[in-house]
């Protein structure tokens, strides 16, 4: 039985720029994962609902606008309400280092800022999904 | 069968039948991954399927399939119907990964609980769909979605498998294809029940529609209806329909596929497409053509699975007899042709 890692790459809020999200999506694809990209300007509810319908293992949130302190916890909360607490949540984009502990406390598994290597992101996801499935 | 496996399958089946969205999603994943519970789930759901209007949408990459699917979904929602969508995208043949981007064009439906979208990677399956597409459709059908739309990968001329899954197949084109329309006359142009020329605000849309109409009159449509006519008696007999279905004479049995123009991004012409699909659905029911197609479809599906089961069995027996590896090696060395090798393997079945 073959089981692919399914990842939702989501862009919440008002960003109008998704180059970073697309680069990550491409890297995850090249690592053999199935990546569902939502497109721009999604609400937390829409992202959580898409994660539910697509039955993903991972939600990758890309956010550049500075609204991460509001939007990210809301997505995590909504995932929990929908019974998706075992879904791994990772965040990428422009996150000031001071905000990283805040996000980690609220259920984010990792934050990948500018300069992160896609290989690290792939390795992190692979390792953690294995753990959840085991 | 292990009791806990039963428990999971039972939970998922009753969840799907109750329309639980999370459990629908889980059931599709298990089926897609060919999990041990998959077959049990599919078997249990099967008697509850066949209620949904299953619509296939196919066409070349970039003609606007996803945008049209979204526009059709919005129109059906206005008509009070719930809609499930299975959108298939290609898998990379090199890495096995996939980027599934159909949701990008379906944002206006997200947040509506009457809509369920599932993206599927083809996972190496050819024909325009994924191996588990039909079963994913069955899950959404059993969950009570009134319309289930299947969007194929960007399809060219031979990705015609969607017609075996959908009851009504919509073939989407865009203007500017010109000679390509000619080139495409076999294959997907033969499987359309409804044709849509999208991007109708662009130059050449009307010409494309006219070309298409001319071609349908000349070739594809007649061939298709000829096929239905020729096999009608046979199938009505096999499907045991004599009692309840009046055999309709050839004039009435034909369906002339309409050619419609849309601008899917703003919904222009889309109500007409939805109306045409519903008309086709009624046509299928009214003339027993639907029952005939169901019979054809059931036969095709059983044949396909039979081939897979027999092939696996033959290979297994041949391997047990110590024959498999040496046969394959001989084929690789060009000492034996593949057809003869396959025939020898098949003989292992009768031993």
């Amino acid at each position: 039985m073959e089981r692919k890692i399914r990842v939702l790459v989501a862009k919440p809020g008002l960003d109008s720029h998704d180059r970073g999200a697309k680069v990550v999506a491409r890297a995850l694809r090249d690592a053999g994962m199935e990546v569902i990209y939502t497109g721009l300007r999604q609400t937390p509810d829409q992202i959580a609902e898409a994660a539910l319908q697509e039955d993903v293992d991972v939600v990758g949130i890309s956010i550049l606008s500075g609204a991460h302190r509001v939007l990210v916890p809301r997505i995590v909360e909504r995932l929990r309400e929908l019974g998706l607490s075992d879904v791994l949540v990772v965040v990428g984009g422009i996150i000031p280092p001071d905000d990283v502990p805040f996000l980690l406390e609220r259920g984010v598994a990792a934050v990948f800022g500018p300069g992160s290597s896609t290989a690290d992101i792939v390795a992190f996801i692979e390792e953690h999904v294995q753990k959840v499935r085991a | 069968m292990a009791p806990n496996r039963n428990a999971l399958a039972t939970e998922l089946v009753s969840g799907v039948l109750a329309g639980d969205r999370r459990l629908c999603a889980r059931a599709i994943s298990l089926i897609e991954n060919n999990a041990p519970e998959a077959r049990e789930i599919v078997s249990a759901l099967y008697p509850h399927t066949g209620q949904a209007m299953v619509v296939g949408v196919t066409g070349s990459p970039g003609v606007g399939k996803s945008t049209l699917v979204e526009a059709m979904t919005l129109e059906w929602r206005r008509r009070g119907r719930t809609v499930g969508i299975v959108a298939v995208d290609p898998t990379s043949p090199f890495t096995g990964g996939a980027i599934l981007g159909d949701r990008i064009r379906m944002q206006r439906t997200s947040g509506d609980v009457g809509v369920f979208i599932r993206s599927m990677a083809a996972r190496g399956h050819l024909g325009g769909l994924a191996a588990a597409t039909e079963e994913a459709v069955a899950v959404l059908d059993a969950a009570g979605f009134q319309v289930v739309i299947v969007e194929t990968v960007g399809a060219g001329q031979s990705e015609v498998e969607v017609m075996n899954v959908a009851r009504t197949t919509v073939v989407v084109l865009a203007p500017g294809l010109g000679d390509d329309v000619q080139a495409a006359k076999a294959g997907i142009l033969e499987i359309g029940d409804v044709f849509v020329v999208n991007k109708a605000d662009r130059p050449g849309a009307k010409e494309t529609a006219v070309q298409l109409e001319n071609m349908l009159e000349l070739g594809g449509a007649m061939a298709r209806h000829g096929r239905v006519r020729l096999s009608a008696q046979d199938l009505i007999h096999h499907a045991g329909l004599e009692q309840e279905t009046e055999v309709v004479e050839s004039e009435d049995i034909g369906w002339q596929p309409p050619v419609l123009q849309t601008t899917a991004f703003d919904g222009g012409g889309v109500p007409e497409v939805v109306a045409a699909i519903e008309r086709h659905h009624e046509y299928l029911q009214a003339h027993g053509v639907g029952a005939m197609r169901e019979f054809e479809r059931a036969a095709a599906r059983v044949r396909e699975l039979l081939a897979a089961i027999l092939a696996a069995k033959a290979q297994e027996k041949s391997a047990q007899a110590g024959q498999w590896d040496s046969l394959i090696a001989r084929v690789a060395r060009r000492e034996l042709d593949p057809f003869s090798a396959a025939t020898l393997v098949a003989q292992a079945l009768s031993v």
Side-chain angles (χ1 to χ4, degrees):
Chain A
M1 157 180 158
E2 189 186 18
R3 200 173 150 189
K4 302 266 185 193
I5 297 178
R6 284 171 68 87
V7 185
L8 187 78
V9 171
K11 287 286 303 177
L14 296 176
D15 292 359
S16 58
H17 171 88
D18 59 356
R19 179 62 52 87
K22 284 175 178 163
V23 168
V24 171
R26 175 72 195 265
L28 299 180
R29 184 201 75 168
D30 289 345
M33 301 181 196
E34 291 181 355
V35 184
I36 298 110
Y37 179 45
T38 63
L40 294 164
R41 290 183 284 278
Q42 298 290 292
T43 67
D45 278 10
Q46 286 174 324
I47 291 167
E49 179 66 25
L52 177 142
Q53 293 176 5
E54 301 288 358
D55 194 29
V56 292
D57 305 289
V58 183
V59 174
I61 303 167
S62 162
I63 187 159
L64 308 170
S65 64
H68 50 271
R69 289 179 68 98
V70 179
L71 293 174
V72 171
R74 220 181 273 167
I75 294 168
V76 174
E77 212 171 283
R78 191 70 192 125
L79 286 171
R80 284 189 183 142
E81 283 168 19
L82 292 174
L84 304 175
S85 23
D86 57 348
V87 171
L88 185 77
V89 179
V90 294
V91 174
I94 311 289
I95 311 292
D98 290 352
D99 287 346
V100 171
F102 170 87
L103 293 178
L104 296 181
E105 270 164 37
R106 276 155 187 80
V108 171
V111 176
F112 296 96
S116 304
S117 89
T118 52
D120 289 347
I121 300 174
V122 167
F124 182 87
I125 288 175
E126 280 175 347
E127 188 192 332
H128 282 77
V129 169
Q130 295 312 330
K131 260 189 239 162
V132 172
R133 285 179 181 178
Chain B
M1 212 162 279
N4 52 349
R5 177 192 302 177
N6 267 325
L8 176 58
T10 309
E11 185 199 349
L12 288 174
V13 167
S14 53
V16 168
L17 293 177
D20 183 300
R21 309 159 69 75
R22 165 107 179 102
L23 296 182
C24 283
R26 294 273 298 127
I28 293 172
S29 297
L30 288 180
I31 294 166
E32 195 177 23
N33 293 330
N34 213 1
E37 299 84 1
R39 207 192 303 169
E40 203 180 333
I41 295 170
V42 173
S43 303
L45 291 179
Y46 194 74
H48 301 277
T49 60
Q51 304 302 311
M53 180 155 69
V54 183
V55 180
V57 177
T58 190
S60 303
V63 295
K65 289 182 297 296
S66 300
T67 309
L68 182 68
V69 167
E70 183 196 47
M72 282 161 48
T73 302
L74 293 171
E75 175 62 22
W76 262 309
R77 293 297 293 141
R78 268 192 287 278
R79 294 172 178 224
R81 311 272 196 132
T82 54
V83 183
I85 299 167
V86 181
V88 188
D89 267 331
T91 291
S92 159
F94 299 109
T95 66
I99 292 185
L100 311 173
D102 293 309
R103 274 183 179 270
I104 302 170
R105 313 256 178 263
M106 299 183 190
Q107 296 200 5
R108 283 177 295 173
T109 60
S110 78
D112 175 354
V113 291
V115 179
F116 187 102
I117 305 171
R118 180 59 176 248
S119 311
M120 278 185 121
R123 297 190 181 177
H125 188 81
L126 301 176
L129 301 179
T133 300
E134 188 162 7
E135 283 76 19
V137 169
V139 169
L140 297 180
D141 183 348
F145 287 95
Q146 291 161 310
V147 179
V148 179
I149 305 177
V150 179
E151 183 189 330
T152 70
V153 302
Q157 302 182 341
S158 60
E159 289 86 352
V160 296
E161 201 180 56
V162 65
M163 69 183 254
N164 292 323
V165 174
R167 292 192 191 165
T168 302
T169 301
V170 180
V171 173
V172 190
L173 298 98
L177 296 174
D179 289 345
D180 292 354
V181 174
Q182 291 291 338
K185 60 189 148 201
I188 66 168
L189 285 196
E190 284 175 285
I191 66 169
D193 299 303
V194 174
F195 288 87
V196 173
V197 178
N198 190 33
K199 309 190 187 185
D201 53 334
R202 299 222 179 148
K206 195 168 167 234
E207 289 77 1
T208 302
V210 169
Q211 267 186 336
L212 195 54
E213 267 164 8
N214 289 341
M215 228 166 49
L216 288 171
E217 267 165 41
L218 282 176
M222 281 168 66
R224 184 186 177 93
H225 297 143
R227 183 175 63 88
V228 169
R229 263 203 301 281
L230 282 177
S231 55
Q233 287 300 336
D234 234 19
L235 284 164
I236 283 173
H237 172 70
H238 287 306
L241 294 172
E242 301 96 327
Q243 281 81 19
E244 62 261 39
T245 315
E246 199 182 321
V247 179
V248 184
E249 277 318 314
S250 51
E251 279 9 276
D252 296 328
I253 216 166
W255 162 264
Q256 184 59 45
V259 177
L260 303 166
Q261 296 184 39
T262 58
T263 49
F265 73 95
D266 67 0
V270 173
E272 288 77 7
V273 174
V274 165
I277 294 167
E278 296 203 336
R279 253 196 334 275
H280 184 251
H281 190 67
E282 283 158 21
Y283 153 81
L284 289 178
Q285 285 177 328
H287 296 309
V289 182
M292 283 188 268
R293 281 205 191 174
E294 286 293 326
F295 187 85
E296 282 186 45
R297 215 196 315 273
R301 188 71 181 142
V302 172
R303 262 199 301 271
E304 186 186 317
L305 293 170
L306 185 64
I309 292 170
L310 290 180
K313 227 180 211 134
Q315 184 179 338
E316 191 190 320
K317 282 207 162 190
S318 166
Q320 276 167 5
Q323 175 200 37
W324 176 260
D325 285 338
S326 60
L327 272 179
I328 301 299
R330 285 175 63 201
V331 174
R333 288 198 302 268
R334 313 264 155 174
E335 293 166 12
L336 185 70
D337 68 285
F339 187 86
S340 303
T343 308
L344 285 170
V345 173
Q347 280 164 3
L349 278 177
S350 52
V351 185

